[in-house]
Amino acid sequence: MVSKKMSDRINEQINKEMYSAYLYLAMSARMGEAGYRGIASWLTIQYHEEMFHAMKFYHYLQDQGSSVQLKAIAQPDFKETAIKELFQHVLEHEKAVTRSIHEIMALALEEKDFATVTLDQWYVNEQVEEEKNAMEILQAIELLGNSPQGLFMLNIELGKRSLGVPSSFLEIKGGD
Ligand code: FEO
């Protein structure tokens, strides 16, 4: 059983993860419309990963006998259409998610809630990967040159990404 404060905080995080999914899906739509199908595909996979993150917390609350409370998901807030700026937004967004995940860890440690510490450790590690992915894409943009040819190559490269999480929510468990 987790505390009411922790349950509220995890429900808030479920909303943040679903917002992340919504944000990346909206970015994917813009990139697809602009003809960058590979980048759109990368962002759609990111959408699935964010839903995985949300559902892992969702199942955790249910496993703990806590109530899942789904709130309204905000409209995705981004204006960038240029690819470099778009991925700078992705990186800044992931840094904000990292801070939020660290807040949960701090609360879990304060409450000596070791089950949530263990769960949240998975997210702490995942955020290192999330920030690294965005940084590597920004580095690639620098190396390839922020040119039509460079972005065309990046588009092909990012289109090769495959889904690294279960595609069905039924396969997602909080503690796994
Ligand atoms: Fe769920 Fe991209 O962090």
Side-chain angles (χ1 to χ4, degrees):
M1 191 77 189
V2 298
S3 70
K4 173 74 169 61
K5 189 173 178 184
M6 181 59 81
S7 172
D8 288 348
R9 187 60 187 75
I10 291 176
N11 272 311
E12 185 188 327
Q13 191 65 31
I14 290 172
N15 187 272
K16 289 184 183 191
E17 300 292 348
M18 288 192 173
Y19 173 78
S20 300
Y22 212 30
L23 174 67
Y24 294 139
L25 191 61
M27 287 179 168
S28 177
R30 286 296 87 74
M31 289 295 104
E33 287 159 15
Y36 290 107
R37 293 301 169 96
I39 294 173
S41 170
W42 190 96
L43 288 160
T44 301
I45 286 171
Q46 193 62 24
Y47 153 80
H48 283 289
E49 295 229 346
E50 298 302 347
M51 288 305 296
F52 175 86
H53 298 166
M55 294 306 293
K56 193 173 173 70
F57 275 127
Y58 173 107
H59 285 295
Y60 177 70
L61 282 185
Q62 291 204 316
D63 288 349
Q64 287 279 20
S66 296
S67 180
V68 171
Q69 299 291 330
L70 298 179
K71 310 267 169 40
I73 301 169
Q75 184 175 356
D77 180 20
F78 76 101
K79 295 178 183 63
E80 298 85 352
T81 50
I83 291 165
K84 183 177 173 183
E85 283 70 28
L86 187 94
F87 279 101
Q88 280 169 338
H89 187 131
V90 170
L91 178 59
E92 291 311 310
H93 180 73
E94 289 303 330
K95 285 181 181 174
V97 174
T98 299
R99 287 194 290 275
S100 186
I101 290 293
H102 289 183
E103 282 172 17
I104 293 176
M105 181 61 90
L107 178 61
L109 289 168
E110 182 189 315
E111 294 189 350
K112 295 188 169 49
D113 174 354
F114 300 117
T116 303
V117 167
T118 302
L119 175 83
D120 202 58
Q121 184 63 58
W122 182 90
Y123 288 90
V124 169
N125 297 341
E126 178 71 0
Q127 283 310 121
V128 174
E129 192 68 24
E130 293 279 79
E131 289 188 26
K132 177 169 116 5
N133 288 343
M135 282 189 293
E136 282 181 352
I137 291 169
L138 285 167
Q139 277 175 339
I141 291 170
E142 292 301 326
L143 289 170
L144 292 166
N146 196 14
S147 63
Q149 293 87 346
L151 295 175
F152 181 74
M153 285 173 65
L154 182 76
N155 180 56
I156 292 172
E157 209 46 47
L158 294 188
K160 295 176 185 169
R161 184 185 189 189
S162 57
L163 190 60
V165 297
S167 56
S168 166
F169 295 151
L170 296 174
E171 299 170 55
I172 303 170
K173 291 279 178 279
D176 292 352

